[in-house]
Amino acid sequence: VTHAEERRLRLWQGKIETRVDVIGSGPPLVYLHGPWGLRADGAFLSALAADHTVYAPWHPGTTPGDPNAVHEIDDWLDLLVYYGELFDHLGLENPPLVGHSFGAMVACELAAANPARVQRLVLMSPIGLWRDDAPVRNWLIIPEAERRQALFAAPDGEAARAFFAVPEDRDARAEAVAAFTWAQACVGKFVWPIPDKGLKKRIHRVAAQTLVLWGEQDRVAPPLYARDFARHIEGARVEVLTRAGHLPHLEQPEQVSRQVQVFLAGPTVSA
Amino acid sequence: MFHLMPYRDLPADFGERYRSAFLDPAWFDVADPDLVGKYYNWTLDELLYAANAGMHGVCTNQHHQNVYGFMANPSLMGSVLARGTNSQNVAIVQIGSTLPSTSPPTRIAEEYAILDCISGGRLVAGFPAGLPTDATLSNGVVPIEQRERYKEALDLVLKSWSAHEPFTWNGKHYQLPHVNLWPRPIQQPHPPIWIPGSGSASTVEFVVDRDDCFCHLSYAGLRSAEMLGDYYWDAVTRLGRDANPYRFGFLQLVGVSETDAAAEEEYGRHVEYFFHNLLHTPPYYQQIPGYQDYPSMVRSLKEPLRDRSDTTPLKAKDFIDRGFLIAGSPATVRDRLLDGVKRLRVGHLMVLLHFGSMSHEQCLKNIDLFCREVLPALEGLWDDEWDDRWWPERLRVPRPAAEAMA
């Protein structure tokens, strides 16, 4: 794992402290994490950092030491404006956005709200659309005994084991469980009770070259949704990965990072 | 007396069919609507019977989509009780309507004000935040916003009760162009406020800081609540409040019979039904991320204030031996209650005299024995030293006068 520089920004009229992990060198890329925080994404970010400077901001409220920041962002309009401010502070004009799950939903909303600012977009297992015939699973109420099965294609695989590993020490374990739980709560705020927050009305505004990646065994957001994203985003390319669930970048890290790198290195195509 | 209004006749295989008493049970597979009609009427009759038998207050509560207790709107029940106890020295303890689940919450302010008017100023205004299942899953409240909404709603309700001028409410969760409530509660600026909590450190501090009555609604009995009780009284001292026991309420399951053996025989299967069927709700429904704020979550992960041990292997005798249920002869129940009440300094003891599958007749017997043989030993326990500032003012009269009123 490449060493990450940890930056702290004070945003939103001084009310939010945001940690941003910065890794690697080269052209910038912003990575937006999913509902479980950035904890498990280190190795994947290092792979992306081979030819990019990866900026990975922590969702409001998940930055250690500022849990109440989540109460400063009330809705999607706030969240999108907040990310505009964050990118400005980082000096990023129109960085490629790579998002996972909820983070992919944020990336897609940003691309729809401000098409000029998002020219390349990678959506890994995005949520944000809704079908009654294939509901997105509410990850906040998955029984503990079913979590591995729900999130991973290989529930007993190494990726699942590492993802759910907690420290032995009681206090360290409490802190880890708290951070893991709180991340879900902070993200859940924006998609409760179901993740249909109007993206379907706005998604046609996305003008970015878009890559949609999906795990074939995604049991949180069924792969059926890949078609819906592709249908609404002109020119979007869909790649479905085998032996991957809702966290394809953890179960198939090499394949996913290669796909992303190739896509980002590709020629610009005007839509 | 507290009542949950549970489903009393669940099928024998309920526990195998459903993983949860909340959300999952299918109405059309489980429920008989005519029976449910009887339950509502029995519940009201039992509470009115308790009022006649000398109980100081009758309690209702709000829960949704479950077999455990489904007074979905406690004000509907409370209005019957208020009307039915007029001229009696009995408080209508609504504990109560869940603010975050009702939008706008001025609706609850209105309902409570109506209850206070119907009852002639006998309302105790309880404000639970609501179980996570109720607020977030049954009513769609964003988990991490439940507390924030609750606090804003409480401020709004209190202002709407006592403001002399109409006002505009510009809140984060509620915006109302014109608030000028009709009616207002008789009790001004507000009826006594009771706030239930189930073991969260921030709720304890919030309630002590507000100087309201904190009601610990565990089901694990007085004996298991010592850690929470100590934490509570430490917080009272730390925040500079007095040691008045009436600021602390506690809910206890109680079953009284002629002898200890008879009590175990009569209440045993009902307490098992209560814990094994009605309280059977898995953590993924009750501990939804966001239901606790961050510091409370870290605290409860490190040192829980409340024992959440698994009750599935326990039998009737265990529930009695461990004090989850205080059951026995009047003398046994008196002694055990007095011990616990004194140890925890409980000023307001709420007794659940109907629990589980208990029949109407069994419940009436329980009420009867409790009010005749146990209640007199508990009445006025703290009155030499303390005034009950969390009780409707018009009811703060000596008890014999109450009997004369009835």
Side-chain angles (χ1 to χ4, degrees):
Chain A
V1 176
T2 316
H3 179 69
E5 177 204 344
E6 179 189 323
R7 280 196 211 166
R8 293 258 178 171
L9 304 180
R10 192 146 280 282
L11 303 166
W12 213 243
Q13 302 174 13
K15 290 175 183 151
I16 296 179
E17 184 170 322
T18 299
R19 174 172 158 178
V20 183
D21 293 355
V22 186
I23 316 168
S25 56
L29 167 168
V30 171
Y31 175 73
L32 298 170
H33 66 73
W36 301 275
L38 264 177
R39 193 177 63 123
D41 293 341
F44 175 66
L45 297 188
S46 291
L48 294 183
D51 47 16
H52 283 89
T53 306
V54 176
Y55 294 84
W58 295 45
H59 178 78
T62 63
T63 291
D66 193 15
N68 288 329
V70 65
H71 300 302
E72 301 297 335
I73 302 284
D74 292 344
D75 51 29
W76 275 93
L77 179 59
D78 280 359
L79 190 64
L80 299 183
V81 173
Y82 158 86
Y83 271 110
E85 183 180 352
L86 176 70
F87 292 175
D88 288 347
H89 272 254
L90 293 169
L92 303 171
E93 183 44 42
N94 51 8
L97 302 185
V98 179
H100 168 239
S101 183
F102 172 80
M105 180 182 179
V106 174
C108 196
E109 287 279 14
L110 283 166
N114 197 346
R117 208 165 177 177
V118 184
Q119 294 172 359
R120 279 181 201 258
L121 182 62
V122 178
L123 305 175
M124 301 193 297
S125 328
I127 57 171
L129 300 178
W130 183 263
R131 309 174 58 119
D132 285 336
D133 63 347
V136 175
R137 183 137 191 207
N138 184 345
W139 68 78
L140 279 94
I141 53 169
I142 300 177
E144 192 153 354
E146 293 170 27
R147 278 185 204 155
R148 286 182 174 221
Q149 173 77 15
L151 298 187
F152 290 91
D156 301 316
E158 175 55 25
R161 195 203 56 75
F163 185 77
F164 288 108
V166 286
E168 289 284 324
D169 172 69
R170 190 193 64 165
D171 285 359
R173 188 172 60 238
E175 298 286 350
V177 171
F180 185 72
T181 308
W182 192 247
Q184 294 175 65
C186 291
V187 164
K189 173 173 181 174
F190 297 91
V191 286
W192 189 269
I194 60 172
D196 182 354
K197 299 298 171 192
L199 179 61
K200 61 176 182 267
K201 294 175 292 181
R202 303 183 279 264
I203 192 169
H204 66 283
R205 291 286 296 155
V206 175
Q209 285 181 57
T210 302
L211 172 64
V212 179
L213 291 173
W214 225 290
E216 194 174 41
Q217 286 92 25
D218 191 331
R219 288 179 279 265
V220 171
L224 200 56
Y225 282 97
R227 269 191 273 153
D228 295 332
F229 277 91
R231 187 157 49 86
H232 289 295
I233 302 173
E234 198 177 318
R237 187 156 65 80
V238 175
E239 294 288 342
V240 176
L241 302 152
T242 54
R243 294 188 301 283
H246 189 60
L247 299 128
H249 61 306
L250 301 187
E251 281 194 298
Q252 300 300 335
E254 282 159 28
Q255 220 184 325
V256 172
S257 54
R258 195 172 55 248
Q259 293 259 17
V260 174
Q261 280 159 337
V262 168
F263 169 75
L264 294 180
T268 307
V269 183
S270 54
Chain B
M1 175 177 163
F2 200 97
H3 209 308
L4 288 164
M5 222 305 288
Y7 200 91
R8 304 186 191 198
D9 302 276
L10 291 172
D13 64 345
F14 178 81
E16 288 97 68
R17 271 160 69 184
Y18 295 104
R19 288 191 297 184
S20 172
F22 279 73
L23 300 162
D24 298 346
W27 169 266
F28 290 105
D29 290 344
V30 174
D32 174 338
D34 288 315
L35 263 183
V36 168
K38 283 186 181 157
Y39 299 154
Y40 281 114
N41 282 292
W42 284 337
T43 297
L44 291 165
D45 288 343
E46 285 153 10
L47 289 167
L48 291 169
Y49 186 84
N52 284 325
M55 198 67 78
H56 299 189
V58 285
C59 307
T60 62
N61 60 97
Q62 174 177 344
H63 292 294
H64 302 270
Q65 301 187 18
N66 73 81
V67 297
Y68 148 91
F70 44 105
M71 296 189 205
N73 181 343
S75 297
L76 294 176
M77 305 296 275
S79 66
V80 175
L81 298 171
R83 167 82 179 164
T85 54
N86 265 334
S87 84
Q88 287 179 274
N89 185 349
V90 173
I92 306 303
V93 182
Q94 298 293 114
I95 184 158
S97 295
T98 55
L99 291 169
S101 305
T102 305
S103 195
T106 39
R107 176 59 177 266
I108 292 173
E110 289 164 340
E111 289 176 0
Y112 275 17
I114 291 170
L115 291 175
D116 204 41
C117 290
I118 292 177
S119 68
R122 292 182 292 122
L123 176 73
V124 168
F127 289 112
L131 293 177
T133 48
D134 288 331
T136 62
L137 291 167
S138 298
N139 287 289
V141 172
V142 174
I144 208 168
E145 291 182 342
Q146 190 179 345
R147 269 161 194 282
E148 208 180 53
R149 283 172 78 96
Y150 171 79
K151 288 178 183 174
E152 183 183 330
L154 183 55
D155 289 343
L156 169 56
V157 166
L158 292 176
K159 185 170 180 183
S160 76
W161 276 345
S162 59
H164 282 246
E165 301 293 330
F167 62 91
T168 300
W169 186 263
N170 179 19
K172 176 169 171 177
H173 297 286
Y174 311 103
Q175 288 190 321
L176 294 168
H178 196 83
V179 185
N180 178 23
L181 225 62
W182 276 72
R184 309 293 179 97
I186 289 173
Q187 300 178 81
Q188 282 292 323
H190 58 75
I193 294 173
W194 291 15
I195 297 179
S198 63
S200 147
S202 21
T203 305
V204 168
E205 267 138 48
F206 173 75
V207 181
V208 173
D209 189 50
R210 288 184 42 86
D211 205 20
D212 294 326
C213 174
F214 176 80
C215 301
H216 185 41
L217 307 185
S218 96
Y219 289 116
L222 287 155
R223 205 192 301 163
S224 310
E226 289 181 5
M227 201 180 352
L228 187 280
D230 291 347
Y231 183 85
Y232 175 79
W233 289 111
D234 283 349
V236 167
T237 309
R238 184 157 36 85
L239 295 169
R241 298 294 180 191
D242 64 27
N244 189 332
Y246 288 111
R247 63 168 68 252
F248 189 50
F250 193 86
L251 176 70
Q252 174 68 53
L253 275 73
V254 174
V256 198
S257 190
E258 288 76 15
T259 63
D260 291 356
E264 191 176 334
E265 168 68 25
E266 285 168 31
Y267 298 106
R269 63 196 162 90
H270 305 305
V271 74
E272 287 182 5
Y273 180 102
F274 177 73
F275 282 100
H276 295 159
N277 285 330
L278 302 181
L279 271 189
H280 184 52
T281 302
Y284 54 89
Y285 281 158
Q286 294 296 8
Q287 294 167 35
I288 298 170
Y291 91 106
Q292 281 189 310
D293 61 28
Y294 191 82
S296 291
M297 179 171 51
V298 173
R299 200 204 140 90
S300 60
L301 285 163
K302 287 183 182 172
E303 308 167 62
L305 285 175
R306 178 180 173 183
D307 181 16
R308 290 190 191 270
S309 55
D310 183 16
T311 54
T312 33
L314 302 186
K315 297 285 177 208
K317 194 169 175 352
D318 305 313
F319 289 120
I320 295 171
D321 290 346
R322 296 185 188 197
F324 285 57
L325 167 66
I326 292 186
S329 69
T332 302
V333 171
R334 263 197 312 266
D335 291 348
R336 294 183 74 178
L337 279 178
L338 273 171
D339 275 354
V341 161
K342 286 180 184 166
R343 165 71 178 82
L344 292 180
R345 293 182 68 76
V346 175
H348 292 119
L349 178 68
M350 285 159 275
V351 284
L352 195 68
L353 298 180
H354 180 277
F355 48 86
S357 45
M358 202 186 290
S359 70
H360 181 54
E361 291 69 28
Q362 184 74 48
C363 178
L364 297 187
K365 175 184 174 180
N366 199 16
I367 294 168
D368 215 33
L369 280 172
F370 182 87
C371 289
R372 220 154 15 90
E373 308 282 345
V374 180
L375 182 57
L378 298 164
E379 283 179 322
L381 186 64
W382 307 104
D383 287 353
D384 291 347
E385 215 182 330
W386 301 99
D387 291 327
D388 188 350
R389 296 195 279 118
W390 296 271
W391 199 246
E393 201 165 352
R394 292 181 182 182
L395 301 183
R396 290 182 216 163
V397 291
R399 278 282 137 187
E403 279 162 31
M405 282 169 80

